[in-house]
């Protein structure tokens, strides 16, 4: 969590300490990278998505955080049926992914009934488009849509072991 007395409150994750300047390197949720002195940092606990821009959890930065994140996200999904996760991405990535997902080359279709719960969860009325290849199988992440496909694949890998007991369904992966 980061905030500066010279700027509005900013929220982000600590990536590490820059040894040369002895400042904390922060990635903010606004896609900025800052180097701040320790005195400008404050812990931040998400208040949930009820406030504008709120979220339940930030995307994990390492394996230890990922295990905790998975357990907490599964609990939130089981309790409330949804979970808002704050991602960290380069500026413009969300807009680019939206534009890429609107391409006429992607054909959106309803899934077969027997696949709906495994891919989308129960009680969801949505359509899906199949990408050319999974981002995790590509040698290089080329598009913003690939970047978010990779994140969703990672999320699925985190949820698969927890879903049968916590969420009462088996996701396909």
């Amino acid at each position: 969590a980061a905030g500066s007395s010279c700027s509005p409150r900013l929220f982000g994750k600590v990536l590490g300490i820059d040894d040369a300047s002895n400042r904390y390197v922060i990635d903010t949720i606004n896609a900025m990278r800052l180097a701040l002195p320790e005195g400008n940092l404050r812990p931040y606990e998400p208040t949930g998505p009820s406030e504008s821009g709120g979220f339940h959890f930030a995307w994990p930065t390492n394996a230890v955080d990922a295990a905790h994140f998975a357990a907490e996200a599964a609990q939130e999904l089981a309790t409330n049926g949804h979970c808002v996760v704050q991602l960290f991405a380069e500026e413009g990535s969300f807009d680019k992914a939206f534009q890429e997902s609107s391409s006429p080359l992607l054909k959106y279709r309803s899934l077969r009934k027997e696949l709906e719960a495994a891919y989308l969860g129960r009680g969801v009325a949505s359509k899906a488009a199949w990408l050319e290849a999974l981002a995790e199988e590509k040698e290089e992440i080329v598009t913003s849509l690939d970047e978010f496909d990779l994140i969703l694949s990672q999320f699925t890998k985190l949820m698969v072991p927890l879903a049968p007991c916590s969420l009462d369904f088996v996701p396909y992966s």
Side-chain angles (χ1 to χ4, degrees), residues 57-133:
F57 310 104
W59 186 251
T61 57
N62 59 53
V64 173
D65 290 346
H68 178 72
F69 165 83
E72 294 288 324
Q75 179 63 41
E76 188 66 34
L77 287 167
T79 303
N80 295 313
H82 70 280
C83 179
V84 179
V85 178
Q86 176 62 56
L87 301 177
F88 296 88
E90 291 182 17
E91 188 171 2
S93 289
F94 296 108
D95 291 334
K96 287 179 193 171
F98 179 76
Q99 290 170 354
E100 293 163 8
S101 70
S102 301
S103 166
L105 299 175
L106 290 176
K107 304 295 183 210
Y108 288 88
R109 298 179 183 90
S110 296
L111 294 176
R112 292 190 326 231
K113 288 290 181 200
E114 63 268 19
L115 296 178
E116 275 185 2
Y119 277 96
L120 302 172
R122 289 188 306 271
V124 177
S126 294
K127 293 183 178 183
W130 298 110
L131 301 176
E132 275 182 34

Side-chain angles (χ1 to χ4, degrees), residues 1 24 29 39 51 72 75 98-99 108 134 139 144 147 161 166:
Y24 286 81
I29 62 174
E51 71 177 46
E72 294 288 324
Q75 179 63 41
F98 179 76
Q99 290 170 354
Y108 288 88
L134 295 174
E139 288 184 30
S144 292
E147 180 183 347
S166 299

Side-chain angles (χ1 to χ4, degrees), residues 1-10 23 34-42:
S4 169
S5 60
C6 301
S7 66
R9 284 181 47 172
L10 300 172
R23 290 175 172 239
L34 304 172
L36 299 171
E38 184 175 5
N40 289 60
L41 303 179
R42 304 286 179 270

